[in-house]
Amino acid sequence: MALFDNIDLSHLMDLVKAGLEKGNLPDSFAELPEGTYLCKVHKLEARLTREKQRPMAVWELIILNDGDYENRHVWVNQILESDTPEKTIDAWARFKRTLSTFLGGYEIDDISLITEDLIEQYILDTECSLNVKKGSKGGTFMTIGPVVEGV
């Protein structure tokens, strides 16, 4: 027995088919165009990368007032460990710069000082900007920074 056997969803499937035929269903996971977006931080979590199990910070942002993208959730991963000590130092420096955006320019030098209380008090629900750029090799780069006037 299928999960929705007891519920008539024919009207829903008709709507979906009609939307697909017209090509007008929104794609909530489509790439964001290049630009700068006003956001707020919804969540900041520590996770491990899938492949190499390296530590990373995962920022979940919500785009605030940008027409088609308003209320869209965007995830930005900042991997904190790399293949070489130099790249790891650079990754940690980028993460510290991002954090300092929310801490009035103060830079944290010890990762153990990044507590749930600090995140809740200074980072969650705080506005920021998200800068989206396309790389020369086809990748997309997203940078979190302070609010930019006029965005």
Side-chain angles (χ1 to χ4, degrees), residues 6-135:
N6 297 333
I7 301 171
D8 179 14
L9 296 178
S10 58
H11 66 286
L12 176 65
M13 297 316 301
D14 291 342
L15 284 171
V16 170
K17 287 177 186 172
L20 287 173
E21 288 168 6
K22 291 181 184 175
N24 62 358
L25 286 179
D27 184 354
S28 60
F29 292 104
E31 278 194 32
L32 284 173
E34 282 190 335
T36 303
Y37 300 86
L38 178 64
C39 300
K40 74 174 180 179
V41 179
H42 183 67
K43 195 183 292 185
L44 173 57
E45 295 179 317
R47 293 191 193 158
L48 295 173
T49 61
R50 285 187 199 136
E51 233 177 82
K52 296 187 178 180
Q53 297 293 295
R54 292 187 173 153
M56 70 177 173
V58 179
W59 298 81
E60 183 179 347
L61 309 176
I62 299 174
I63 297 177
L64 294 178
N65 54 2
D66 202 286
D68 293 341
Y69 303 104
E70 186 173 354
N71 294 319
R72 177 174 170 179
H73 290 243
V74 179
W75 288 264
V76 179
N77 299 330
Q78 286 187 305
I79 298 172
L80 303 177
E81 182 182 344
S82 193
D83 297 332
T84 67
E86 294 81 13
K87 288 180 180 179
T88 297
I89 291 167
D90 187 49
W92 172 243
R94 281 194 307 275
F95 180 60
K96 280 177 34 174
R97 273 194 306 276
T98 302
L99 281 176
S100 73
T101 295
F102 302 98
L103 303 175
Y106 177 78
E107 287 193 2
I108 293 179
D109 291 320
D110 183 351
I111 201 162
S112 69
L113 297 175
I114 305 168
T115 63
E116 289 181 16
D117 287 342
L118 179 120
I119 291 168
E120 191 171 310
Q121 186 172 358
Y122 293 101
I123 297 175
L124 295 185
D125 294 322
T126 303
E127 290 185 357
C128 60
S129 66
L130 175 66
N131 188 8
V132 178
K133 288 188 177 183
K134 306 293 182 195

Side-chain angles (χ1 to χ4, degrees), residues 146-151:
V147 173
V148 177
E149 293 298 320
V151 173

